[in-house]
Amino acid sequence: MSPAQYERLPSSPSPAEQEHSTTSLDIAEEELNTGRSPPAYRVAFIHDPRFDLPTPPRWQRAGLLLFVAFLFWVGYKLRGSPSEEGIPAIVE
């Protein structure tokens, strides 16, 4: 364990730090004043309507759930039991 002591961090910035802090509005205003284009990670993308998929109808949702339940039932019925295959239930 290190001999360093725990030092509590301040919960709010000091008044001197508040004067020099930048907000998103300050950054956007600075970009407009300097004529620079914003960085690539701050560019807003145009909304593409191809990705707006409609919500499927309720009957299709219910049909999908019933189909999945049917597949589980079929899998349960097709798995067979150990006694029918001649395999003992308890293997020693």
Side-chain angles (χ1 to χ4, degrees):
M1 183 170 268
S2 77
Q5 294 294 322
Y6 172 76
E7 183 179 331
R8 186 175 178 150
L9 296 174
S11 60
S12 62
S14 65
E17 292 175 357
Q18 285 180 349
E19 293 175 7
H20 299 293
S21 67
T22 58
T23 62
S24 61
L25 296 176
D26 294 337
I27 294 172
E29 185 178 321
E30 181 182 346
E31 288 171 353
L32 288 175
N33 291 339
T34 59
R36 292 183 302 179
S37 61
Y41 64 88
R42 294 196 53 220
V43 174
F45 294 102
I46 298 172
H47 180 72
D48 193 349
R50 293 178 294 173
F51 297 112
D52 291 337
L53 298 175
T55 304
R58 290 181 187 249
W59 66 270
Q60 286 181 350
R61 291 181 187 179
L64 180 63
L65 291 175
L66 289 173
F67 180 70
V68 169
F70 171 75
L71 289 178
F72 274 107
W73 178 79
V74 167
Y76 179 76
K77 287 296 185 183
L78 290 178
R79 72 181 175 99
S81 66
S83 62
E84 292 175 1
E85 297 174 7
I87 301 172
I90 300 174
V91 178
E92 296 182 20

